[in-house]
Amino acid sequence: MEKFVKSLSFHKKLNDLNLSGNAFSLNSARLIGNYLVFHGAKLENFNLSHCKISYQGTRYIIDALNRNTSIRYFNFAHNDMTSSTFEFSIKMGAIITRHPNLMHADITCTSLAREEVLFIGLALSMSKTMLSLHLSGNTLPYYDRIFMRSLIAARVGFRFKNDAMAKKIKNNKEFTNIMHLASHQNYSH
């Protein structure tokens, strides 16, 4: 994996990078973080789901995401964001509120504690660009999820994100709904 990640520095015009399912060593995570910062200026879609990235590797990736302003879609699902000091949730909250282009983040099943999920969820209401955030599979009881959704006036478009991927826009009402979400205008049924 390290040879491949090193070779990425020659590809400065990548728009999409899907490394999902590849086991990352600590050095691979450091190298991909460096790529994001120094060579990934055109990168918009970045998928690192199921890469077995943990603690220090997570730090490299999250810090690089904070410095790369072109990413619109970030998938870090099924990696480890555990931290006794809540470091990664604080950084993700900052990224969500300040990133100029990030529209979608998937941090499903990343071992976040209840407080971290609530913190990140509440940061969503301060974002000017975020359209969707996936937090499933982390520690947040049902009534806390309902409470957080009501606090930030979130709307659940699909009960499960896999349903969203499987369905297509079927009619003008759905198209209008998506256009309102994309333009940050309020929409009601």
Side-chain angles (χ1 to χ4, degrees):
M1 190 66 193
E2 288 182 32
K3 284 184 182 181
F4 175 75
V5 174
K6 283 180 184 178
S7 72
L8 286 175
S9 63
F10 299 109
H11 305 282
K12 298 178 184 186
K13 295 184 180 183
L14 284 177
N15 289 330
D16 299 289
L17 183 57
N18 184 346
L19 298 172
S20 177
N22 293 293
F24 269 65
S25 67
L26 181 59
N27 195 42
S28 295
R30 182 184 60 77
L31 290 170
I32 200 69
N34 286 340
Y35 173 78
L36 285 176
V37 173
F38 299 112
H39 305 290
K42 301 267 186 196
L43 191 63
E44 292 182 359
N45 301 309
F46 186 45
N47 187 345
L48 283 177
S49 63
H50 299 275
C51 288
K52 300 180 183 176
I53 300 171
S54 60
Y55 199 65
Q56 185 60 39
T58 299
R59 181 176 290 128
Y60 288 137
I61 302 300
I62 300 296
D63 288 346
L65 175 65
N66 192 33
R67 295 177 61 192
N68 179 308
T69 58
S70 66
I71 292 180
R72 298 169 64 99
Y73 172 89
F74 176 64
N75 188 342
F76 199 68
H78 297 275
N79 288 297
D80 189 8
M81 293 180 74
T82 305
S83 170
S84 61
T85 60
F86 305 126
E87 171 187 1
F88 305 125
S89 58
I90 292 168
K91 288 179 179 181
M92 276 306 296
I95 290 168
I96 287 169
T97 58
R98 299 180 189 137
H99 200 282
N101 289 311
L102 188 64
M103 296 174 72
H104 172 88
D106 187 344
I107 48 179
T108 300
C109 297
T110 51
S111 303
L112 293 171
R114 175 182 177 265
E115 296 81 7
E116 293 174 295
V117 175
L118 288 170
F119 180 79
I120 292 170
L122 291 173
L124 186 60
S125 64
M126 293 180 261
S127 173
K128 298 202 183 301
T129 60
M130 289 291 290
L131 294 177
S132 65
L133 176 64
H134 297 283
L135 292 164
S136 319
N138 291 298
T139 309
L140 192 65
Y142 175 76
Y143 289 108
D144 288 344
R145 281 195 310 260
I146 300 301
F147 176 68
M148 182 174 69
R149 285 181 193 148
S150 66
L151 277 179
I152 63 173
R155 198 175 125 252
V156 179
F158 295 97
R159 277 187 66 99
F160 304 103
K161 74 174 182 179
N162 292 336
D163 290 343
M165 291 175 193
K167 298 189 187 224
K168 306 268 188 238
I169 298 173
K170 294 179 183 171
N171 56 38
N172 285 338
K173 184 177 180 181
E174 288 182 24
F175 178 76
T176 304
N177 185 13
I178 290 169
M179 296 312 294
H180 281 284
L181 287 172
S183 65
H184 301 288
Q185 296 175 1
N186 291 329
Y187 176 77
S188 59
H189 294 260

